[in-house]
Amino acid sequence: MREINVKLITERVRDLCMKANTDLGEDVLQAFDRAMEGEESPLGLEILRELKENARIAEEEKVPICQDTGFAVTFVEIGQDVHLVGGNLDEAIHEGVRQAYRDGYLRKSICHPFTRANTGDNTPAIIHTEVVPGDKVKITVAPKGGGSENMSRVTMLTPSDGVEGIKRFVVQRVKESGSNPCPPTIVGVGIGGTFERAALLAKKSLLRPLGSRNPDPELDQLESEILTAINKLGIGPQGLGGRTTSLAVHILMMPCHIASFPLAVNIQCHAHRHKEAII
Amino acid sequence: MNQPIRLTPPLNDEDVEKLKIGDRILINGIIYTGRDAAHKRLFDLLKVGKNMPFDIKGQIIYYVGPAPAKPGQALGSAGPTTSYRMDAYSPSLIERGLKGMIGKGMRSDAVKEAMKKYKAVYFAATGGAGALLAKRVKKAEIVAYEDLGPEAIRRLVVEDLPVIVVNDVRGNDLYIEGEKKYRRK
């Protein structure tokens, strides 16, 4: 049994929250470059250039890429041979978030649903834990903005809707979202499982590096068909018209009940932030 | 693309009538921030006939909840938030002389009607370009609702804040026209 003090987890979460909010991943920057090659709209090109410049400023000056520094969505994979000591895991994560949003000059965006009173420290974090083989702990922090999250949906299709039903719903969701979620977006799709699992799959699919292929050839093909359909919509960067409405479609799928066909679409804005650490 | 046009509030009818969708604008001088909670409070004041915490006539409101300023910054990252959540409140503010709104995302028909009727425009700033936009903010001070934190109303002094005209006073909408132009079968 390997012992890990939860203080270490607090430190890592703190660092990951700050880094994710200031340093956009290389995969996203490369996706901007690829988009610029195919963008026909002069205004669209101008916006893509602005986004690259914005990322450069954020990284150099260590300021947030976007003022919406998000809900601190945290995935923790805990090796089953790990014994966590020194306190409570969830509290250790919340404390890491609290320190990062205070010390990193990040916006506190979490409030009471009715009164809208701000919790003041961006807690609670959204924590997804999973027990896996091994003696390591892997932490991924993916701050999620409200504008794109608001455009996300879960639906329960009927089995007869088939693959065409998936395509129709996902493309329609992007179309109806228009300029709201800050295109160019990344579209996370979760298929199967149950109501709540489909949503989690959609969110997790976003963590795959941009530009990588889906290991399942059938889903890889579906991703590319949906992306082509989305980029024919004409919404473009920031919704002002253009070829680049989405940078990628990512799909995760698992079996579902014989009566069901759950489908979730999690829209991610171009400020596609996630960082990970392994202890 | 045309050269950007420089605008300095307060704006009058003539200033906004000249603007058309797709125009690139650089805003200079004073603008005000306000988003969800601040709009609700302004709206509630109007309902009971009270004065607003600043004179809205001719002004521009920027829908933004900035990040806290780091030492040496006037304001932390400050990109626009999605505008439809302000749609319920905007027509009343436009009726009372608001000339411009900066945000992102499409407005309701009621807001577009109010813009036509009372001569106001809607600008889009690049969503998610918070670090870049914050550099154009030279000064920021809270004028009302400090308890709202990032949602407090701030008076900003900006220099060449880049925005694009999305809705003009003639009822045109760049979101609709742009999408139409680039849609493919």
Side-chain angles (χ1 to χ4, degrees):
Chain A
M1 213 59 161
R2 180 179 169 223
E3 283 198 352
I4 294 178
N5 195 305
V6 295
K7 279 204 179 71
L8 203 53
I9 291 182
T10 295
E11 277 174 32
R12 288 293 187 281
V13 168
R14 175 185 184 273
D15 295 348
L16 292 172
C17 283
M18 295 213 265
K19 198 158 186 264
N21 269 302
T22 57
D23 299 9
L24 198 59
E26 194 54 40
D27 60 332
V28 184
L29 293 169
Q30 284 171 6
F32 289 159
D33 285 336
R34 284 195 299 274
M36 286 173 84
E37 285 168 23
E39 186 51 72
E40 295 162 21
S41 153
L43 208 48
L45 271 172
E46 177 75 20
I47 284 160
L48 290 166
R49 268 195 292 271
E50 254 185 45
L51 296 183
K52 283 183 67 178
E53 172 67 1
N54 183 66
R56 187 191 62 77
I57 295 170
E59 188 164 358
E60 271 180 28
E61 301 185 10
K62 292 291 168 224
V63 296
I65 298 158
C66 176
Q67 74 291 337
D68 185 352
T69 50
F71 221 136
V73 178
T74 307
F75 294 92
V76 195
E77 288 177 22
I78 307 166
Q80 61 187 21
D81 298 326
V82 169
H83 180 206
L84 295 171
V85 295
N88 172 304
L89 172 67
D90 278 13
E91 191 36 55
I93 294 169
H94 296 319
E95 180 57 25
V97 169
R98 197 172 284 129
Q99 292 180 11
Y101 280 72
R102 180 193 64 207
D103 302 344
Y105 298 91
L106 306 179
R107 196 182 78 183
K108 290 83 184 164
S109 311
I110 309 306
C111 71
H112 185 283
F114 298 166
T115 66
R116 314 304 292 178
N118 201 297
T119 64
D121 58 8
N122 218 58
T123 67
I126 300 291
I127 303 170
H128 300 291
T129 46
E130 200 179 333
V131 177
V132 299
D135 65 352
K136 306 241 184 312
V137 172
K138 181 178 171 191
I139 307 168
T140 306
V141 176
K144 188 67 168 74
S148 58
E149 196 73 352
N150 282 345
M151 296 299 118
S152 304
R153 296 288 186 275
V154 178
T155 186
M156 305 302 271
L157 299 176
T158 55
S160 65
D161 288 324
V163 177
E164 282 309 310
I166 296 173
K167 285 190 208 168
R168 226 177 8 248
F169 186 84
V170 177
V171 174
Q172 188 61 21
R173 182 84 295 271
V174 173
K175 183 172 166 56
E176 284 171 16
S177 300
S179 51
N180 291 334
C182 276
T185 54
I186 298 101
V187 182
V189 180
I191 305 169
T194 49
F195 177 79
E196 85 285 6
R197 181 55 69 88
L200 188 58
L201 288 173
K203 178 135 287 162
K204 271 191 163 175
S205 76
L206 295 170
L207 301 176
R208 201 179 95 210
L210 286 183
S212 67
R213 309 296 295 258
N214 193 312
D216 178 331
E218 198 180 1
L219 295 183
D220 190 64
Q221 174 66 24
L222 185 56
E223 286 180 357
S224 115
E225 283 174 25
I226 295 175
L227 182 64
T228 303
I230 286 172
N231 284 335
K232 280 183 181 171
L233 290 173
I235 295 168
Q238 292 297 308
L240 301 172
R243 290 270 67 79
T244 322
T245 302
S246 293
L247 298 169
V249 174
H250 286 182
I251 303 176
L252 275 176
M253 184 166 82
M254 70 173 290
C256 58
H257 190 279
I258 52 172
S260 304
F261 192 3
L263 171 64
V265 183
N266 196 195
I267 310 268
Q268 169 65 55
C269 62
H270 59 74
H272 180 34
R273 301 157 288 188
H274 56 98
K275 295 286 177 215
E276 58 181 58
I278 294 171
I279 301 174
Chain B
M1 276 192 302
N2 295 330
Q3 281 304 306
I5 302 165
R6 285 201 163 75
L7 271 186
T8 306
L11 306 175
N12 58 30
D13 285 359
E14 268 177 27
D15 295 325
V16 294
E17 275 167 354
K18 284 183 209 150
L19 304 176
K20 53 183 195 306
I21 61 167
D23 282 349
R24 291 186 301 150
I25 308 293
L26 295 170
I27 299 175
N28 284 273
I30 291 168
I31 60 172
Y32 292 87
T33 73
R35 48 173 291 164
D36 306 59
H39 269 77
K40 180 165 189 340
R41 288 196 190 175
L42 292 179
F43 189 70
D44 289 345
L45 285 178
L46 289 179
K47 268 200 303 200
V48 295
K50 286 199 180 152
N51 281 338
M52 299 219 282
F54 66 99
D55 184 6
I56 202 170
K57 216 168 169 329
Q59 300 301 335
I60 295 175
I61 294 184
Y62 184 14
Y63 303 150
V64 59
K70 277 175 87 166
Q73 273 187 314
L75 197 65
S77 293
T81 194
T82 319
S83 307
Y84 70 86
R85 299 189 313 268
M86 271 52 79
D87 283 354
Y89 311 118
S90 297
S92 304
L93 300 179
I94 294 168
E95 192 183 336
R96 280 163 183 81
L98 181 69
K99 282 292 173 207
M101 297 156 283
I102 308 169
K104 66 175 171 90
M106 201 182 277
R107 308 311 303 268
S108 68
D109 289 342
V111 178
K112 292 184 207 173
E113 270 311 306
M115 284 190 269
K116 267 168 79 176
K117 189 166 173 192
Y118 300 104
K119 312 276 185 211
V121 286
Y122 172 55
F123 305 103
T126 299
L132 183 141
L133 292 164
K135 286 184 94 72
R136 308 297 173 93
V137 179
K138 300 299 158 187
K139 229 175 112 182
E141 57 173 335
I142 292 179
V143 292
Y145 313 142
E146 191 164 4
D147 62 296
L148 294 179
E151 295 201 59
I153 294 183
R154 290 170 168 83
R155 183 187 291 116
L156 307 183
V157 178
V158 298
E159 220 173 83
D160 285 349
L161 186 79
V163 298
I164 295 159
V165 179
V166 168
N167 293 108
D168 59 26
V169 298
R170 289 166 288 280
N172 298 309
D173 189 324
L174 180 59
Y175 289 133
I176 293 172
E177 297 307 319
E179 190 178 331
K180 227 189 270 173
K181 186 169 171 190
Y182 290 96
R183 191 183 301 149
R184 298 285 181 272
K185 284 285 169 207

